[in-house]
Amino acid sequence: MRKSTRTLLAAALVLGVAAGPALTPAFAAEQPSVSATQAAPADLSAVIAGLPRADATAALVRVGGTEGSWQGSAGVHDLETNAPADPAARFRAGSVTKVFTAATVLQLAAEGRIDLDRTARSYLPDLIPGRYATVTVRQLLNHTHGIPAADMPGETVEEWYANRFDVHTPEELVRSATAQPREFRPGTKQHYLNIGYTIAGLIVERVTGDSYEHQVERRILQPLGLRNTYFPRGAAEITGPYNHGYQTMKLDDGTTGLRDVSEWGTSEAWAAGDLVSTTADLERFTKALFKGHVVRGPLLEEMFTLPKVPDFQSGDPAAFSVGLSMKKLGGREVWGKTGGRWGYNTAIASTRDGARTLVYSVNANDAKGQDMNKTALRLMVAAYGLPE
């Protein structure tokens, strides 16, 4: 973990978890109470008390495992009505989608239909050019492939908002990415990007002759009874009940404020980040995954094995495995995955033995910022403790 992140975590614990973050004048008028069941571990109730505030408008939290369980929600459904946040609401799970994609690929590997050591080009010879001929499926999944991100229009949140309904095909994204020089020799460094999972989704389709979405539904969503989890399939709106997501940006009148970004296309994310879910469904999935009920046998270890390479940008040890990432918090390893879509931050996490699981959705006003959202950061620290 980078030193800056460690400093932020320490500050969050000292300033936010114990006493509860201060309200800003913009949100001081309405202070919906925390809705919770059972006693909160550590200071989870304090973390979400006082929502909405400057960094987030709502939060849904579930803690489970053998150490006890707790559920809480706070904030508002939307800023127009100030109705309480719906604890059963759906939300955009962002890059938590990658865990579902990785699990699907590993299931296919267990069936002998995908070989993690085979090259991506051997599955997609018409799409992967020669400069990336040695990239393997495993390298796609653990972000050591060296393929850069696809070129996307826009450089500011305002420009991205203007293009929010643009549709991008997976093939278009892969061609854009692979037309560029590689960032590093495959297998020598790690750079967390979406493109590896876009290619992995296409491999799933090629070897099964089926859509990526249907394969995940058939293999994971349906067997686990995740009835409120679905793929938008190009739709920009969230189907069913949801709490509105907002993003701080420049408004039409030239001022800076919050804009409702609940409707936003996700085609550029696809197998890397377009899933919609609920905290209840993600908690069920997390528990099943860590118990070995989703990926079975030795292949599950791929999700708990970090490649021994440095991070491309920081030089720190690699933090991402196949589908998951790991941080040492409170003296123990915590595995999981965070995700961010405009207006929504999501995370699933668990100790390896399942003693404590955490799932949250934070309606963050800075969901894709460079730094982790403050409320989300405080939830992680409250649930597991400070990093070593």
Side-chain angles (χ1 to χ4, degrees):
M1 183 172 292
R2 297 181 180 88
K3 184 177 180 181
S4 60
T5 304
R6 184 180 295 110
T7 303
L8 280 170
L9 285 167
L13 185 67
V14 173
L15 300 176
V17 175
L23 288 171
T24 62
F27 294 124
E30 290 289 339
Q31 301 182 37
S33 61
V34 175
S35 173
T37 60
Q38 303 185 31
D43 293 290
L44 284 165
S45 284
V47 172
I48 61 176
L51 289 171
R53 52 177 174 257
D55 70 306
T57 56
L60 315 177
V61 188
R62 296 176 76 98
V63 173
T66 57
E67 294 179 354
S69 61
W70 179 79
Q71 302 170 29
S73 64
V76 296
H77 170 266
D78 65 85
L79 293 176
E80 286 69 39
T81 68
N82 281 320
D86 179 356
R90 292 173 174 176
F91 49 82
R92 302 190 189 281
S95 286
V96 172
T97 308
K98 292 182 176 70
V99 191
F100 289 77
T101 303
T104 299
V105 172
L106 291 175
Q107 285 189 10
L108 288 164
E111 296 165 9
R113 302 171 75 179
I114 289 180
D115 184 340
L116 299 181
D117 293 315
R118 272 185 65 182
T119 65
R121 194 179 190 212
S122 68
Y123 293 102
L124 302 169
D126 52 326
L127 196 59
I128 306 299
R131 66 166 59 90
Y132 294 107
T134 64
V135 172
T136 67
V137 176
R138 181 182 285 105
Q139 289 166 351
L140 294 175
L141 298 177
N142 67 16
H143 305 282
T144 61
H145 46 75
I147 304 172
D151 284 329
M152 297 295 294
E155 296 182 357
T156 67
V157 63
E158 291 80 13
E159 291 174 324
W160 294 322
Y161 178 78
N163 297 322
R164 67 193 182 281
F165 299 131
D166 290 356
V167 176
H168 306 276
T169 68
E171 292 84 359
E172 168 195 339
L173 297 170
V174 174
R175 290 190 182 98
S176 171
T178 57
Q180 305 172 60
R182 67 187 188 187
E183 293 185 325
F184 49 83
R185 183 163 55 86
T188 62
K189 297 180 182 180
Q190 184 174 80
H191 189 187
Y192 177 83
L193 292 171
N194 283 348
I195 192 63
Y197 278 74
T198 301
I199 299 173
L202 289 170
I203 292 174
V204 168
E205 294 195 333
R206 186 65 59 91
V207 302
T208 63
D210 191 12
S211 72
Y212 157 79
E213 293 90 344
H214 185 250
Q215 282 293 306
V216 178
E217 290 163 357
R218 185 177 71 81
R219 293 171 175 275
I220 300 175
L221 305 191
Q222 293 171 5
L224 294 181
L226 307 184
R227 296 179 179 86
N228 287 301
T229 301
Y230 74 96
F231 290 97
R233 285 179 165 85
E237 67 278 359
I238 300 174
T239 301
Y242 65 92
N243 299 317
H244 288 236
Y246 297 87
Q247 172 66 35
T248 301
M249 66 174 74
K250 186 174 291 186
L251 304 179
D252 296 338
D253 61 4
T255 64
T256 297
L258 295 181
R259 188 187 291 275
D260 191 325
V261 292
S262 305
E263 292 190 13
W264 196 306
T266 59
S267 63
E268 92 290 346
W270 193 50
D274 73 349
L275 199 70
V276 172
S277 191
T278 65
T279 55
D281 273 9
L282 290 183
E283 182 180 60
R284 178 178 293 186
F285 170 71
T286 302
K287 290 179 177 179
L289 180 71
F290 278 69
K291 289 178 181 178
H293 296 164
V294 179
V295 178
R296 303 177 188 276
L299 282 169
L300 180 59
E301 290 305 309
E302 295 283 345
M303 305 189 84
F304 298 101
T305 302
L306 299 175
K308 299 184 184 302
V309 298
D311 180 85
F312 174 59
Q313 295 172 308
S314 70
D316 292 341
F320 295 92
S321 62
V322 170
L324 300 176
S325 63
M326 189 276 288
K327 296 187 186 301
K328 291 186 178 179
L329 301 173
R332 53 185 174 178
E333 291 186 354
V334 177
W335 293 83
K337 189 71 189 72
T338 59
R341 293 297 305 176
W342 300 109
Y344 302 89
N345 274 153
T346 303
I348 64 172
S350 179
T351 53
R352 181 68 192 275
D353 60 3
R356 173 160 291 182
T357 64
L358 169 68
V359 175
Y360 67 68
S361 169
V362 174
N363 292 59
N365 305 332
D366 55 355
K368 295 178 75 68
Q370 290 186 339
D371 295 324
M372 190 173 180
N373 174 267
K374 292 179 181 179
T375 297
L377 191 62
R378 289 162 175 156
L379 285 170
M380 192 68 71
V381 173
Y384 293 108
L386 282 168
E388 294 180 355

